[in-house]
Amino acid sequence: MPDFPKKTLVADAYSRLKSDIRENRLPPGFQAPEPELATRLGISRTPVREALIRLQADGLIRLIPRHGALVVALSPSDVQSLYDILSALEPQAGVSLAEAAPTPTALAPLYETLDAMTRALEAKDLSAWLAADDSFHQQLIALQGNDRLHSMLDPLLDQLHRVLMTTLAHREHLARATEDHRTLLHILATGDSNGARRELRQHRRRESREVLEIIEAQGFTAL
């Protein structure tokens, strides 16, 4: 019982700092010592230190002795590597979910998120679309049931989120991306594991080509 408050504080610090990094409130290259971050969060340094260790393991920050935490920037080659890994691992999440023969009730969160993507697209609300897109993929890996795969994919999606935020205003094929999700849901509902693997791989590869073309065209050197 004595550890419960500490664990709660660590979890809260981790969640808040991760959110700030994902949403670029703490942008790539931002650096701050632990006391400054503790003051920002209104808590003591100890839970902040433990939260930072977790964020470093996620690949979001780098801890520098005597200088605190540095928010890691991704180069174009880092983005390519990120997509290469996602294209290899995320399709397996689709396979696992399809093989479980999910019921319409089990897939309901994904259908609801797809509806949110569609509404955001119609309203031309890019931020809402990206939030729904991110939620779709997060829910997919949560539903597929392989905890080890979930733990591997989750930090990759956090890193990708910043990239997608930076390039979102330049993307031209959000309707196609939305339809990719609709197609995937139909495949999952039929239990077609090979189809789920194929669709997720194609989706991520199309997205990676589009995003990397934007990065090159806009001259982004770090995201």
Side-chain angles (χ1 to χ4, degrees):
M1 287 298 293
D3 289 338
F4 180 74
K6 177 185 173 185
K7 290 179 180 178
T8 301
L9 287 173
V10 171
D12 179 62
Y14 171 79
S15 176
R16 292 167 63 187
L17 288 171
K18 183 167 78 168
S19 177
D20 284 346
I21 293 169
R22 277 171 45 91
E23 304 304 322
N24 280 334
R25 291 187 290 270
L26 297 180
F30 173 87
Q31 185 172 339
E34 288 177 13
E36 181 179 325
L37 293 172
T39 299
R40 178 188 181 95
L41 298 178
I43 58 178
S44 66
R45 291 176 58 181
T46 300
V48 170
R49 184 178 303 114
E50 294 190 26
L52 291 174
I53 291 170
R54 289 180 60 185
L55 290 166
Q56 179 170 247
D58 291 344
L60 294 173
I61 68 161
R62 182 158 55 90
L63 290 173
I64 303 174
R66 297 181 299 281
H67 294 282
L70 172 68
V71 177
V72 173
L74 297 176
S75 68
S77 62
D78 291 329
V79 175
Q80 179 66 72
S81 296
L82 182 59
Y83 270 114
D84 288 344
I85 298 168
L86 275 173
S87 296
L89 292 181
E90 194 177 27
Q92 183 56 46
V95 169
S96 297
L97 184 53
E99 287 179 342
T103 64
T105 299
L107 293 175
L110 293 177
Y111 280 110
E112 291 170 5
T113 306
L114 177 62
D115 287 343
M117 292 176 69
T118 303
R119 291 193 301 271
L121 194 61
E122 292 170 350
K124 298 182 180 179
D125 188 336
L126 298 184
S127 296
W129 185 90
L130 180 58
D133 174 69
D134 183 66
S135 178
F136 186 98
H137 288 275
Q138 294 281 359
Q139 290 181 70
L140 172 68
I141 66 169
L143 287 170
Q144 53 84 36
N146 184 325
D147 291 341
R148 189 178 293 268
L149 184 59
H150 189 175
S151 67
M152 294 170 68
L153 282 168
D154 199 43
L156 298 179
L157 295 181
D158 286 332
Q159 293 179 47
L160 179 64
H161 184 76
R162 287 190 326 187
V163 175
L164 295 178
M165 279 192 63
T166 304
T167 58
L168 182 62
H170 306 283
R171 292 179 65 183
E172 299 177 351
H173 306 293
L174 298 184
R176 173 63 183 274
T178 304
E179 287 307 307
D180 284 352
H181 292 73
R182 195 179 309 280
T183 300
L184 175 61
L185 263 177
H186 174 74
I187 290 170
L188 292 171
T190 63
D192 181 359
S193 59
N194 288 329
R197 185 196 308 276
R198 182 173 59 253
E199 181 61 30
L200 269 167
R201 182 178 291 130
Q202 289 175 350
H203 170 69
R204 283 306 193 191
R205 286 178 175 173
R206 279 195 295 268
E207 182 180 86
S208 69
R209 286 194 298 270
E210 181 183 353
V211 167
L212 287 163
E213 285 172 3
I214 291 169
I215 288 172
E216 181 177 4
Q218 297 299 316
F220 294 131
T221 58
L223 299 94

